[in-house]
Amino acid sequence: TTHARRELAASAASAATDIASTDMRGGLHRLLSRASSARAVLALHAAHEPLAPVHLATCWSRLGRATGSELAHLRRGGGKRLEPLRRATHQSMRRLDAKGVATLAHALGRLRLCGGSETTQPWSELWEGLEEAALRCAARQTFTPQGLSNTAWSHAKAGRRAPALFDALAREAERQADGFNSRDHAITAWAFAPAP
């Protein structure tokens, strides 16, 4: 009976920890999405790592809204300041849902960390993982029209040549054509337009 009490106490302590963690994580989403700066987002990521995929996507969503000097700060040195977040995201890529994939794609397109040079090679690896995840989402038909258009836009904006992905996105866009609003149509058309 003493052993059973210890197991019950350990189980209760574990459940209490899980509940506290869940409460903190709900607050974390709010903190990440309302962070006043990219530095604040990166500090929150460092303080609460490892993050669930939904929180990683929230980090990228906030970072994708960076403009001006904040954007230049993030891009400086091939995005070195983003390395811990890039690494964590790459490791969690298979667990991202379609919304997370589209959010990450949109942020990477805005940040224009595309790979192709020695300093941005890790970003090429992240884009390749993103392309695989986007192909899975397209095959499962889990993209929304907005997620599909943002994913196509980001790859075109970054100059990523991904014929298999664009073929899959085109099939999915055709299947969902009635659900597209004018913004989704315009963005998708731009993404599929041939480069000059």
Side-chain angles (χ1 to χ4, degrees):
T1 60
T2 304
H3 180 69
R5 284 186 202 148
R6 283 187 201 146
E7 284 185 32
L8 184 58
S11 178
S14 175
T17 300
D18 289 346
I19 290 168
S21 175
T22 300
D23 289 344
M24 181 203 65
R25 298 291 187 193
L28 181 58
H29 176 78
R30 198 169 22 265
L31 288 172
L32 288 167
S33 61
R34 296 179 183 172
S36 61
S37 68
R39 287 181 184 178
V41 171
L42 297 175
L44 285 165
H45 172 255
H48 297 284
E49 196 172 12
L51 296 182
V54 67
H55 296 113
L56 290 170
T58 303
C59 286
W60 287 108
S61 176
R62 170 56 186 87
L63 294 173
R65 295 191 310 259
T67 59
S69 63
E70 186 177 55
L71 178 60
H73 176 76
L74 291 172
R75 295 186 71 217
R76 197 168 297 128
K80 286 183 184 176
R81 288 169 185 82
L82 299 169
E83 180 56 23
L85 182 59
R86 184 208 61 79
R87 194 172 37 254
T89 304
H90 192 263
Q91 292 169 351
S92 296
M93 190 68 71
R94 296 189 73 63
R95 298 183 316 153
L96 284 177
D97 62 8
K99 183 176 181 179
V101 167
T103 299
L104 173 59
H106 188 259
L108 289 178
R110 290 207 21 109
L111 292 168
R112 294 185 309 264
L113 291 164
C114 308
S117 72
E118 188 175 306
T119 59
T120 58
Q121 182 56 36
W123 295 102
S124 286
E125 294 168 3
L126 186 61
W127 277 100
E128 289 164 10
L130 178 61
E131 289 160 14
E132 290 173 18
L135 278 166
R136 280 193 306 277
C137 293
R140 293 179 185 150
Q141 300 179 346
T142 55
F143 275 124
T144 63
Q146 180 181 359
L148 195 151
S149 65
N150 284 346
T151 301
W153 171 85
S154 65
H155 283 78
K157 181 75 172 172
R160 298 290 303 179
R161 304 273 186 252
L165 176 60
F166 275 93
D167 288 348
L169 293 175
R171 284 190 300 275
E172 189 59 6
E174 186 176 350
R175 188 185 73 77
Q176 293 190 39
D178 291 342
F180 276 54
N181 61 31
S182 58
R183 178 191 172 279
D184 298 331
H185 277 293
I187 290 171
T188 305
W190 179 88
F192 280 89

